[in-house]
Amino acid sequence: EMCIRDSSIKKKGSSALTIFGTSQLQREEMVALLNEYYMMLPQDNRDRLGIGIQQQEEIRAKLPPPETFENPIVNRRKPVELQSRLQLFKAEYMEHYLQRQSSGQRDQPVIKMCQLVDKSLDEGVNLEDFDLSDCDPPLNDQRISVIVDVLHQVNNTVGDPEQFSENIYPKSLNLEQPINEKITN
């Protein structure tokens, strides 16, 4: 329905949506845009929703062909946030500690582990040697367990082989930590 000051669109049921525009042209453009949007819906959806459109043939003639909106475009690569298993490990590892901190725990990630991951990513090489010796603070069972759990989780994550590179190949592991000696006087 078109009124002098505003436009009303009757919806299925008793309510109506009122569109206010600063000019008659603006109101007409808003209604035309809604009609074009609704014309892109399949006919059965429009019938089910009770959407009636006047001048359907004129509107249909202005719209691009429906094939334009078919999904997916053949052989189009999907956008990916993480491109490698090592990036996924880093994201999951840091997320683990962020969740622990948000629940009030003061545990922190192993800095040396983060440095190993960053160095491998920066240099574009595989992470093969896990040298976690002489960590500060020293490694404990809980920190080692977190690293192993996240590695296991990441290893079981399926990624698109065309877009997700494998770059974690453990060959060596060094967990040597300094011995805490008590000095007595």
Side-chain angles (χ1 to χ4, degrees), residues 16-119:
L17 171 68
T18 302
I19 299 175
F20 294 97
T22 57
S23 68
Q24 179 68 23
L25 177 63
Q26 188 179 40
R27 288 189 298 274
E28 289 172 5
E29 291 294 322
M30 286 189 276
V31 170
L33 183 62
L34 283 171
N35 283 335
E36 289 171 7
Y37 169 75
Y38 288 134
M39 281 298 296
M40 288 192 278
L41 292 174
Q43 183 65 46
D44 60 328
N45 287 356
R46 290 196 316 252
D47 293 342
R48 187 172 39 83
L49 295 170
I51 300 171
I53 302 171
Q54 297 175 1
Q55 302 170 335
Q56 289 187 25
E57 292 307 316
E58 289 178 30
I59 295 171
R60 187 173 288 119
K62 294 180 199 175
L63 294 175
E67 296 80 33
T68 305
F69 302 102
E70 285 183 3
N71 193 20
I73 296 173
V74 180
N75 296 327
R76 182 167 75 184
R77 294 178 65 135
K78 300 173 198 161
V80 290
E81 184 176 321
L82 304 170
Q83 298 174 348
S84 72
R85 194 141 327 259
L86 197 52
Q87 288 175 329
L88 179 60
F89 171 80
K90 182 179 178 183
E92 294 294 326
Y93 185 64
M94 298 310 289
E95 180 66 27
H96 171 83
Y97 282 100
L98 285 173
Q99 288 176 357
R100 291 178 62 88
Q101 288 177 354
S102 67
S103 66
Q105 298 176 0
R106 295 188 173 258
D107 204 9
Q108 295 181 349
V110 177
I111 301 299
K112 197 162 186 180
M113 183 73 228
C114 297
Q115 290 170 338
L116 287 172
V117 170
D118 287 341
K119 183 178 183 209

